[in-house]
Amino acid sequence: MTATLPGPCVPPCPWCQARRWYEHGLRWPTAGVCSQAPLTLLTGARFDALDLPVDAGFAVLRRVGRTGPVALDGRARRLRFLIAAGSADELPGLLDWLEWGGVALDLTALGAGGRIVAPVPRSAGGRGHLGALGTGRAVWVRPPEPGREVEPTLPVTGLGGEGGAPDLVRLVSAAATECHRARLLRAGEARTRRPTGDQPLAFSYASRMSAGTRPRSLTL
């Protein structure tokens, strides 16, 4: 028996417009249909994605200035920094080299076989990132540009993109530092809400520096 795939909406819904924008404007592969939203973008083909919590992600944006495209998933409260395809496999080694190996950072990378929620472009009804955090939608914080090759703007190991993005080592360094900082801040806030007598957080910048194990990423 042959399955019948649903056709495009008439009139086109925002997800149908978004699919055309991604597949024809950017030539990015997508998955999902409008009746089963959200539409997703497949990682590992044209790009990978560095995935981190929203508070750490916005801190990274303030630190590194220009990057490649950056997407916000309002429902998951995660920022996804697009990086060169194949870079996801390098993340564990980079974290070890930056002396973050074994530290719980809540920092991951999505490569081949992964997917991220496709932000609805502004031209198809997308909104800004502040509205997305309130509604749980996905939006572009730093959008890609249709008709322009995206790959040169993506961070790669050892070389900055032509669009002025930092190299992957510096981006991962900033991301690891801000993920750790955000974790410490959350832990501190949680302690102020708990009754006295709880054990203090065993890991801190001060403890690492006094022990002579200052993360390499703090020196980049």
Side-chain angles (χ1 to χ4, degrees):
M1 185 175 71
T2 302
T4 302
L5 297 177
C9 297
V10 180
C13 72
W15 289 112
C16 289
Q17 297 178 52
R19 181 191 293 277
R20 284 200 297 271
W21 190 75
Y22 286 118
E23 294 190 346
H24 299 291
L26 296 172
R27 300 187 182 280
W28 289 357
T30 65
V33 294
C34 62
S35 60
Q36 299 173 354
L39 184 72
T40 58
L41 302 175
L42 305 181
T43 57
R46 298 289 302 276
F47 58 84
D48 289 351
L50 197 65
D51 179 280
L52 57 161
V54 66
D55 51 355
F58 280 113
V60 171
L61 289 177
R62 291 190 293 270
R63 276 189 64 175
V64 301
R66 300 181 67 179
T67 66
V70 180
L72 165 66
D73 185 337
R75 177 173 295 179
R77 299 187 68 82
R78 311 284 296 186
L79 249 62
R80 278 75 185 254
F81 289 71
L82 270 55
I83 54 181
S87 298
D89 294 335
E90 301 183 39
L91 181 62
L94 281 178
L95 290 176
D96 284 341
W97 185 80
L98 291 166
E99 300 178 9
W100 287 108
V103 180
L105 293 175
D106 196 12
L107 173 65
T108 59
L110 303 171
R115 59 182 64 191
I116 63 174
V117 177
V120 177
R122 286 184 179 273
S123 60
R127 299 180 181 180
H129 62 268
L130 295 179
L133 284 173
T135 62
R137 300 185 72 183
V139 298
W140 286 108
V141 178
R142 294 182 176 174
E145 298 182 17
R148 177 185 173 193
E149 285 295 321
V150 174
E151 280 83 350
T153 71
L154 300 180
V156 296
T157 301
L159 297 171
E162 294 177 8
D167 61 67
L168 183 63
V169 175
R170 292 189 179 276
L171 180 60
V172 170
S173 169
T177 300
E178 295 304 335
C179 282
H180 182 58
R181 191 193 311 276
R183 175 175 174 266
L184 293 179
L185 289 174
R186 290 188 219 109
E189 292 169 357
R191 284 203 305 274
T192 62
R193 295 193 295 268
R194 288 202 297 259
T196 58
D198 288 338
Q199 291 292 327
L201 187 68
F203 181 85
S204 68
Y205 281 117
S207 64
R208 286 193 74 169
M209 292 176 69
S210 63
T213 57
R214 187 183 191 206
R216 189 194 303 264
S217 60
L218 296 179
T219 66
L220 291 179

